[in-house]
Amino acid sequence: MADQKIKVAVISAGMIANAAHIPAYKHLGDKIEIVAVSDTNPVSAEQTAARHGIPKWYTNAEEMINHLSLLYNRARQSSITQELTEIIAGAEAIS
């Protein structure tokens, strides 16, 4: 768990995000992963994503948050299910 990156989604793809916020996150290196950016202007969102190597872009921040929450909750649930399966298998092997 300690080796996992903090996932960041950026709301707004304006000048300050491009000149300050995103570069500051990237400066943190392996600790942070920028997973998405949103802006009401689709051109700004797409260009910012391309410029900074951000894999997903959205034009609606609420949609971005909902989609990412679902995506990462599913991944977390899968990980928990795998751990429980291993614990149960280990307990059954002991008994």
Side-chain angles (χ1 to χ4, degrees), residues 78-94:
S78 176
S79 175
I80 291 168
T81 301
Q82 179 64 33
E83 287 180 28
L84 286 173
T85 302
E86 291 171 5
I87 291 168
I88 291 167
E92 288 175 351
I94 293 172

Side-chain angles (χ1 to χ4, degrees), residues 23-74:
Y25 282 128
K26 292 180 120 190
H27 181 72
L28 296 172
D30 292 340
K31 298 175 185 171
I32 299 288
E33 179 183 1
I34 304 174
V35 296
V37 62
S38 77
D39 196 282
T40 55
N41 180 334
V43 174
S44 293
E46 184 176 20
Q47 287 179 349
T48 296
R51 179 180 303 120
H52 296 286
I54 300 170
K56 295 283 290 175
W57 60 271
Y58 298 82
T59 56
N60 181 305
E62 186 175 5
E63 178 184 315
M64 176 182 71
I65 292 167
N66 290 339
H67 178 258
L68 293 173
S69 293
L70 181 62
L71 178 70
Y72 291 111
N73 284 340
R74 282 182 181 160

